């Protein structure tokens, strides 16, 4: 099933914009001293925000395997 693309009055974002957003968020991520042995439960993940433009860019990409 394909998703319909949304029409926006804003200019389309680019992968470079997404990379820049990620680079600005990276300093806020804490790196643990050792690798976690088990996955982190989703309930413990908090405080991560994604700029709306980046979310739209990813939403507009095709699903893997399309």
């Amino acid at each position: 099933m394909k998703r319909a693309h949304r029409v926006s009055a804003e200019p389309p974002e680019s992968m470079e914009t997404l990379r820049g957003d990620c680079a600005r968020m990276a300093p806020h991520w804490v790196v643990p001293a050792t690798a976690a042995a088990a996955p982190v439960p989703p309930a413990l993940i908090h405080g991560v925000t994604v700029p709306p433009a980046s979310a739209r860019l990813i939403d507009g990409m095709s699903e893997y395997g399309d």
Side-chain angles (χ1 to χ4, degrees), residues 1-5 58-66:
M1 175 190 314
K2 295 220 180 227
R3 291 184 289 168
H5 290 280
I58 296 298
D59 188 44
M61 291 180 172
S62 66
E63 296 294 325
Y64 180 77
D66 280 355

Side-chain angles (χ1 to χ4, degrees), residues 5-35:
H5 290 280
R6 295 185 183 123
V7 178
S8 174
E10 296 179 16
E13 285 78 25
S14 66
M15 188 57 76
E16 190 61 34
T17 302
L18 178 60
R19 290 182 67 204
D21 291 342
C22 291
R24 283 187 293 283
M25 289 187 286
H28 302 287
W29 296 334
V30 178
V31 178
T34 60

